[in-house]
Amino acid sequence: MVSAGCGGPTESRTTVSVPQAAGRSAAPAQRADRLPGLGPRTLAEIPARTRQAVVVTGAGRNSSRSEAVLYERTDAGWRAGESWPARNALRGWTAGHRVGDLRSPVGVFTLSDAGGRLADPGSALPYSRSPGFRVGGTGFAGEPLAGSFDYVIAIDYNRKPGTSPLDPTRPLGEEKGGGIWIHVDHGGPTHGCIGLERGHVRRLLRLLDPARHPVVVMGDAASLAS
């Protein structure tokens, strides 16, 4: 049984770089006036008040592998934090996401709410704990899906911010998909979500600060560079 997450029928855009080896690697504490790898169109979508950006960069348009980096905006510019290996949808990325296309939406999306099957690990975002965050069966690589929704961060693509990630409201219509989350990596491609290792999701939950108006910038490298 699956909750309405990860592209469920009842799924906004972010950036990163190419995936690295498993595990966490510390990125250099470098600062830049602009987020690296992002072109003018993508940069224009990031709200001026945003001070945190999770950039998820896909290895290719049709690849399910990506890398995530949390950037913090300081008076001296954007500072890169750690980089984490990530997964995205089985068929890669699309700027015109539709339910069932097995692609993750490209774009810049706000991050407003979190939740999960397990207790709040210390999230500053509103956290909704519920047994409704359940999933069973196996994924595209035959891997067990159980535990994938122990911790999730809702990506504000076709959803109502300020509600539980389980809220079924789809402002753009059901055909545009929904339930696009950052959740625990289950060891294979997703239906549309972003998967991070369990410890990295927990850490991200503790780092994201609603007062810094966090967003996720996500897509394949070529799309994000436009």
Side-chain angles (χ1 to χ4, degrees):
M1 183 115 183
V2 186
S3 68
C6 207
T10 62
E11 291 176 342
S12 301
R13 286 180 5 175
T14 297
T15 303
V16 181
S17 34
V18 216
Q20 303 185 24
R24 184 178 68 194
S25 62
Q30 58 189 25
R31 290 177 173 83
D33 292 337
R34 302 198 318 173
L35 287 166
L38 305 189
R41 186 171 64 179
T42 304
L43 288 168
E45 295 183 32
I46 299 175
R49 65 181 184 172
T50 290
R51 293 295 179 268
Q52 287 183 319
V54 184
V55 178
V56 181
T57 304
R61 175 174 170 76
N62 300 317
S63 172
S64 63
R65 294 280 190 164
S66 49
E67 180 189 64
V69 179
L70 175 62
Y71 288 88
E72 302 269 357
R73 193 192 300 228
T74 70
D75 291 341
W78 287 98
R79 182 182 64 188
E82 299 162 350
S83 64
W84 302 318
R87 297 184 197 267
N88 52 272
L90 177 69
R91 295 177 181 166
W93 302 90
T94 180
H97 179 71
R98 300 186 68 82
V99 66
D101 65 7
L102 298 182
R103 290 184 180 271
S104 296
V106 174
V108 177
F109 309 105
T110 52
L111 299 171
S112 307
D113 305 281
R117 189 179 63 86
L118 301 184
D120 183 354
S123 172
L125 297 175
Y127 187 93
S128 302
R129 184 183 185 185
S130 169
F133 290 99
R134 66 192 185 279
V135 60
T138 56
F140 296 112
E143 77 283 9
L145 299 178
S148 303
F149 300 159
D150 284 353
Y151 306 104
V152 311
I153 300 165
I155 294 172
D156 293 340
Y157 168 85
N158 199 18
R159 70 177 298 269
K160 182 181 178 181
T163 63
S164 165
L166 293 173
D167 187 288
T169 305
R170 300 292 179 252
L172 302 177
E174 295 292 329
E175 70 281 358
K176 295 297 290 182
I180 302 297
W181 300 341
I182 297 172
H183 63 61
V184 177
D185 179 24
H186 44 73
T190 72
H191 282 79
C193 294
I194 303 299
L196 297 177
E197 293 177 13
R198 177 177 297 267
H200 298 162
V201 180
R202 287 173 56 90
R203 179 160 174 75
L204 188 57
L205 279 167
R206 292 192 292 264
L207 290 173
L208 290 176
D209 180 358
R212 296 181 67 78
H213 308 287
V215 300
V216 60
V217 184
M218 53 194 268
D220 58 285
S223 294
L224 295 178
S226 65

